[in-house]
Amino acid sequence: MTSPATPDRAKAELTGLVIRRAIDADAGPLAAFARRTFVETFGAQNTDANMAMHVARTFGVALQLAEIRDVNMVTLVGEVGPTMAGFAQLRRGSAPACATGASPVEVLRFYVDSPFHGRGIAQALMRAALDVARELGGRTAWLGVWEQNPRAIAFYAKCGFVDVGSHSFVLGTETQTDRVMAQRL
């Protein structure tokens, strides 16, 4: 699954990036990748106990398999050669009240492994994710991003998302605040 060629796309193609829909066999590697990248991204700012609780609830193999098979979700895997470089998960359904656009599709998860930052992979993966959001009938894409993650907020803004409000996100036993960002498709 790819989108039309652009300068970022051409840059990503130089890396050998392939973006495809996840299959059942991806559940284990995806769960391990998601756990690792989540902990690397947020571990220093949260307690070990809350991190362990969250990843156990969110990134198990059985849950990833169920999400891969869910007709209201699509999981995209970005690979460079045999290496998983990133993934995105989209979910059709309701949105928080502040994301007022029609037919919302959530970018539920979006992670690129740190060795692949700055290589155009995130941009290519986001373009593919937004293409999938349209395929799912979406006219609005939205996401939640931790208010203490300025790098991600800046990236999403660069991709055309605008801050439309906030909602709560529970990490283990702690309630945190996510910025809600949205864009028309």
Side-chain angles (χ1 to χ4, degrees):
M1 151 155 280
T2 56
S3 54
T6 65
D8 285 340
R9 163 107 181 166
K11 182 178 177 183
E13 286 177 342
L14 294 175
T15 67
L17 177 68
V18 173
I19 298 172
R20 62 175 177 79
R21 289 181 189 240
I23 59 173
D24 289 1
D26 292 317
L30 181 62
F33 181 91
R35 281 191 303 269
R36 182 178 56 75
T37 56
F38 189 87
V39 170
E40 287 173 1
T41 303
F42 302 111
Q45 298 149 308
N46 293 283
T47 68
D48 290 344
N50 280 337
M51 292 297 291
M53 190 181 303
H54 180 77
V55 297
R57 279 190 242 165
T58 308
F59 299 123
V61 175
L63 179 58
Q64 293 308 301
L65 181 59
E67 289 177 348
I68 288 168
R69 292 177 175 176
D70 186 331
V71 297
N72 289 308
M73 291 186 74
V74 172
T75 301
L76 296 176
V77 175
E79 297 170 318
V80 176
T83 304
M84 189 178 297
F87 78 101
Q89 290 180 309
L90 295 98
R91 177 170 57 187
R92 182 176 24 213
S94 63
C98 59
T100 59
S103 304
V105 173
E106 180 182 13
V107 180
L108 175 64
R109 297 187 186 105
F110 189 93
Y111 292 97
V112 173
D113 205 355
S114 59
F116 296 97
H117 289 179
R119 295 173 60 182
I121 290 170
Q123 293 84 352
L125 185 58
M126 181 57 78
R127 279 192 303 278
L130 296 175
D131 287 346
V132 166
R134 289 179 195 93
E135 288 174 23
L136 291 172
R139 293 179 41 213
T140 303
W142 72 277
L143 54 84
V145 56
W146 191 24
E147 66 183 355
Q148 294 183 38
N149 191 348
R151 181 180 180 156
I153 291 169
F155 170 74
Y156 296 134
K158 183 179 174 181
C159 292
F161 287 87
V162 295
D163 190 317
V164 296
S166 65
H167 71 166
S168 295
F169 177 83
V170 178
L171 182 86
T173 61
E174 181 182 351
T175 301
Q176 300 180 346
T177 301
D178 274 2
R179 300 310 308 162
V180 174
M181 301 181 77
Q183 70 168 278
R184 288 185 179 169
L185 297 174

